[in-house]
Amino acid sequence: MTAAATPAASPATTGEQPGVRLARSRRNAELSLLLLAMVLVAAYGAIVEANMLDTVTPDFWMPAAALTLVFVGMHLVIRWLAPFADPALLPAVALLNGLGVGFLRRLDLGKAAPADRETLAIFAGTGGRQLAWTLASVVLAAGLLALMRDHRAISRYAYTLGLAGIVLVMIPAVLPGRFSEINGAKLWIRVGGFSIQPGEFAKLALLVFFAYYLVRKREVLSLASRRILGIDFPRGRDLGPVVVVWLISLLVLVFEKDLGTSLLYFGMFVVTLYIATERVSWLLIGLVLFFGGAYLAYVLGGTIGGPFANFYTRAEIWLDPFAEPYDRGYQLVQGLLGLGSGGLFGTGPGAGEPLEIPEVQNDFIFAGIGEEIGLFGLTALLVVYLLVVERGLRAGLAVRDSFGKLLAGGLAFTLGLQVFVIIGGISKLIPLTGQTTPFLSAGGSSLMANWLLVAVLLRVSDAARRPVTQGGGPAARPSGGPPEQLHGAPTEVIRP
């Protein structure tokens, strides 16, 4: 006796149209994750007030509510302009940005007299300014999404953006120190009370140029001359581009006096080159060139000084910060003590002493937060950063055009490398740098540039995840009306 065959579900019973495949834009999932992130930000603010004020004021929720309005607005823009974009990017970045605003408000409370803390305005101080910068940055990112409907369009301006990037990198180096130098690093343009870090925008412009150039030259750069230990090495005459970028990065190291910025520019070119050619030899050549150049700069700084002296001093502090714990090594020592006193679980939000660390709102914000949330909390933050990087790399793998692959892969790696450079500096893994922690540190330049980076990743991921019809073309954008048939081929129905 055989069981009766179960009849296949018909389009009438499933509610689907004949010949139509279902696709999901995942925007509702994005909204749910975004609201969860804002609940965590509000809870962080409440715990800070409970520890610092011994009470929770009725207004504790207002910064989180303001951030929610800003990020929900960005969510609506994505739902309209990039409906298939990765649903995890915006919530992850919003969580980091929100925690940054919350910690900066915690610093404002710490600077205020105990009697004035309960009456401190929600939108005052560094935290209030960061909230305003967040609004401006999100609006800028939304504007870029509106203008750049196809990521391939920016490849038309690759050489212009490359030139602009080089100019932005070099401006602080040629300006007098009083207009460009802060804490020994010449990374800024300062006019009156206004300052901007042009290198944050330069990395985006240079990445567009790198991606465009390597798409055109990758066949040549993939050629091998000889095989050593199973690794194919390029021809000598093909080393020109990497040597040029290496020399520029050394100039940044010497004249802008910052290892992190130099490593960031050179690293993003070498990794983009590796993605384009799939040759491990380029990574090895890049590592040898950079660390060889850095060691040479260190030796020259110890012997002849001059433009190499600042890097030599930073390297000496890195090698033994406790040699002068109350002078040159004070910042690094305080950061290490803060991380150490936090232990596994931290002292609790608002219960630490982050203001003992110089520049805790900028370079050392990770150490200040780490004291209060501990190793487990810092690990969770790093996982969020890792999620953003992984989603960017996934978009690069999935997108169909070579330019988009290199652009998304380079942007994702650059964000990860910047986090590594900062955490490596405050944890004494590498010499200190002048870089800021993406989305956490105070300041508008870094926040705007990184939100623009996220906007580009959203655009590339939208192209990567957008379904393709059986005819080979992309599916139409979702609309309020019924799905349309494109030239008789099965199309996609988008369910939110």
Side-chain angles (χ1 to χ4, degrees), residues 5 23 85 98 119 133-134 156 181 224 393 448 456 464:
T119 58
W133 280 120
T134 300
R156 304 171 189 168
E181 187 170 335
L393 292 175
M448 283 186 171
V456 177

Side-chain angles (χ1 to χ4, degrees), residues 20-389:
V20 176
R21 189 169 69 252
L22 293 178
R24 295 180 182 273
S25 63
R26 299 294 183 185
R27 298 276 65 82
N28 287 346
E30 177 183 80
L31 180 60
S32 300
L33 291 172
L34 182 59
L35 295 178
L36 176 61
M38 293 301 99
V39 169
L40 294 176
V41 171
Y44 177 85
I47 297 172
V48 165
E49 290 196 355
N51 284 327
M52 298 193 71
L53 309 178
D54 293 326
T55 184
V56 179
T57 64
D59 299 333
F60 83 93
W61 55 272
M62 291 184 64
L67 287 169
T68 301
L69 290 176
V70 172
F71 295 139
V72 168
M74 184 64 180
H75 161 77
L76 294 176
V77 171
I78 295 172
R79 186 180 283 266
W80 174 42
L81 295 175
F84 292 99
D86 194 298
L89 277 173
L90 178 62
V93 172
L95 177 61
L96 294 170
N97 198 159
L99 290 176
V101 172
F103 183 74
L104 292 174
R105 171 162 171 76
R106 178 258 176 273
L107 295 180
D108 292 334
L109 290 173
K111 294 174 184 177
D116 299 332
R117 289 176 179 174
E118 287 194 32
T119 58
L120 184 68
I122 293 293
F123 302 107
T126 307
R129 287 195 298 272
Q130 191 72 357
L131 190 58
W133 280 120
T134 300
L135 173 61
S137 302
V138 172
V139 169
L140 193 63
L144 181 61
L145 273 181
L147 291 174
M148 185 179 61
R149 297 302 182 96
D150 188 336
H151 63 273
R152 293 169 295 183
I154 58 176
S155 65
R156 304 171 189 168
Y157 312 102
Y159 287 102
T160 302
L161 290 173
L163 177 61
I166 293 175
V167 171
L168 289 173
V169 170
M170 293 304 176
I171 286 177
V174 300
L175 287 176
R178 66 180 183 274
F179 294 116
S180 62
E181 187 170 335
I182 297 178
N183 297 327
K186 298 185 65 176
L187 301 174
W188 301 82
I189 298 176
R190 303 168 60 195
V191 179
F194 175 79
S195 63
I196 185 173
Q197 195 170 354
E200 292 287 345
F201 301 96
K203 66 184 181 184
L204 302 180
L206 290 173
L207 263 173
V208 174
F209 170 71
F210 291 160
Y212 178 80
Y213 174 80
L214 292 173
V215 165
R216 290 178 167 267
K217 300 295 182 181
R218 64 178 176 178
E219 297 297 335
V220 174
L221 296 172
S222 297
L223 296 176
S225 63
R226 63 185 62 188
R227 189 176 182 87
I228 303 175
L229 297 177
I231 300 175
D232 293 322
F233 282 84
R235 301 175 301 178
R237 60 178 177 272
D238 296 330
L239 294 175
V242 74
V243 171
V244 170
V245 178
W246 174 66
L247 291 174
I248 293 175
S249 69
L250 286 184
L251 291 176
V252 171
L253 175 65
V254 172
F255 293 103
E256 297 194 355
K257 307 174 184 179
D258 187 65
L259 175 69
T261 304
S262 175
L263 177 59
L264 187 66
Y265 293 146
F266 187 64
M268 68 186 189
F269 175 75
V270 171
V271 169
T272 308
L273 179 57
Y274 166 70
I275 296 172
T277 62
E278 300 181 6
R279 297 288 190 190
V280 178
S281 56
W282 285 116
L283 294 179
L284 298 177
I285 292 170
L287 289 173
V288 170
L289 285 175
F290 183 81
F291 287 110
Y295 180 74
L296 178 62
Y298 171 75
V299 172
L300 292 175
T303 54
I304 65 175
F308 305 97
N310 183 270
F311 176 67
Y312 176 79
T313 301
R314 290 203 173 201
E316 287 292 300
I317 295 172
W318 167 61
L319 291 171
D320 189 7
F322 291 93
E324 299 180 38
Y326 297 103
D327 190 13
R328 297 190 307 178
Y330 183 74
Q331 185 183 33
L332 181 55
V333 167
Q334 291 300 311
L336 292 172
L337 291 175
L339 289 173
S341 62
L344 291 177
F345 301 99
T347 59
E353 297 293 338
L355 290 172
E356 295 295 325
I357 306 173
E359 298 296 330
V360 68
Q361 75 279 8
N362 294 322
D363 303 14
F364 273 69
I365 194 169
F366 211 77
I369 293 178
E371 180 186 0
E372 298 191 338
I373 65 176
L375 178 62
F376 287 166
L378 287 182
T379 302
L381 276 183
L382 289 177
V383 169
V384 177
Y385 278 114
L386 184 62
L387 175 65
V388 177
V389 173

